Amino acid sequence: MQHTISKDAINELPLKQFEGKVTVIEDPDRVPEIVEKLQKEKAIGFDTETKPSFKKGVSHDISLLQLSTKDEAYLFRLPNTGFNGALTKLMNNPKVAKVGVGIRDDIRGLKHLNNFVPKGFVELQEMAPKYGIEVLSLKNLAGLLLGFRVSKRQRLSNWEAQELSEGQILYAATDAWVSLEIYLKLKELKPVPQKPKETQPQEKSS
């Protein structure tokens, strides 16, 4: 298996997006029922989106939390649903793997909304090197492991818009779903034996 992929090779791959059911949640009363379904999964794709800031010193809270199974993606519009109760319980459930790329900032952003103890999170950028893989971005991992290209066109769009566009919805669902697919693909591979760290000989005490 190849351990890396070039930009030119990725550009030649077919473009793919999530083809399952996508549910956008704005009503907080719907959250517990959906989270109850997700609590039964062993692993789910995880991502967030934030309205971009083009001014120095100006930042925004997370606008969207995306969680995906193989067949269904759920987009929680956090300014409407809030981030508490059922969602925070899911985020600190160690039995459900929440899988994503570059998730440290996502977790930090969620903790800014409501402090919680993150458990069960899987960082693909830490997992992939254990299988000898040398690329770390979501786009590169998808190209190398799944054989298709994902669009990043909507990344800097307005995630606080009154209504999300179809392009935004598909982009957000795809990012979470692709993370899960990469994780499942990696689980099929055999890890590369890790070189033992060299230990410095200890000086004998006199």
Side-chain angles (χ1 to χ4, degrees):
M1 192 195 83
Q2 289 183 317
H3 295 146
T4 188
I5 188 169
S6 69
K7 186 176 180 180
D8 288 341
I10 289 177
N11 289 336
E12 292 176 5
L13 294 173
L15 193 64
K16 189 168 183 179
Q17 58 192 20
F18 183 60
E19 297 175 353
K21 181 182 178 183
V22 183
T23 303
V24 179
I25 304 104
E26 299 190 32
D27 182 354
D29 292 337
R30 296 188 62 196
V31 174
E33 178 186 355
I34 293 168
V35 169
E36 188 176 348
K37 290 173 64 176
L38 293 171
Q39 293 275 27
K40 297 173 183 176
E41 300 288 330
K42 290 183 179 179
I44 54 178
F46 165 86
D47 195 20
T48 71
E49 302 297 340
T50 302
K51 179 181 177 179
S53 172
F54 302 105
K55 291 183 179 180
K56 190 175 180 180
V58 176
S59 62
H60 300 280
D61 287 336
I62 288 175
S63 309
L64 197 70
L65 168 64
Q66 304 107 269
L67 302 172
S68 180
T69 68
K70 285 182 69 68
D71 306 309
E72 293 188 65
Y74 300 94
L75 314 184
F76 299 87
R77 302 204 72 183
L78 298 185
N80 302 86
T81 65
F83 178 68
N84 48 49
L87 280 175
T88 51
K89 286 181 181 178
L90 178 59
M91 294 300 106
N92 63 22
N93 182 353
K95 295 181 180 179
V96 181
K98 279 76 66 176
V99 184
V101 170
I103 60 177
R104 184 174 63 179
D105 288 343
D106 298 303
I107 293 171
R108 185 188 296 121
L110 290 175
K111 290 179 78 171
H112 181 71
L113 296 177
N114 187 5
N115 200 17
F116 67 100
V117 180
K119 294 180 182 178
F121 283 87
V122 178
E123 172 57 75
L124 292 173
Q125 291 183 337
E126 295 176 0
M127 184 178 179
K130 295 177 182 178
Y131 296 84
I133 292 169
E134 298 169 9
V135 295
L136 297 179
S137 73
L138 184 73
K139 191 171 184 177
N140 288 349
L141 286 168
L144 179 66
L145 292 168
L146 305 177
F148 59 77
R149 180 166 49 95
V150 291
S151 171
K152 307 302 287 183
R153 184 181 296 175
Q154 297 287 339
R155 185 170 66 91
L156 296 178
S157 58
N158 180 11
W159 295 101
E160 293 182 6
Q162 188 169 353
E163 283 191 25
L164 296 178
S165 68
E166 183 178 351
Q168 285 178 304
I169 289 169
L170 283 174
Y171 168 87
T174 298
D175 265 15
W177 165 74
V178 165
S179 291
L180 177 61
E181 290 296 312
I182 291 169
Y183 171 78
L184 296 174
K185 188 67 176 180
L186 285 172
K187 296 285 280 184
E188 294 175 4
L189 305 177
K190 287 186 178 180
V192 174
Q194 301 295 304
K195 293 180 180 179
K197 294 182 179 179
E198 292 185 10
T199 56
Q200 297 293 327
Q202 292 183 347
E203 294 183 7
K204 291 182 181 180
S205 55
S206 55

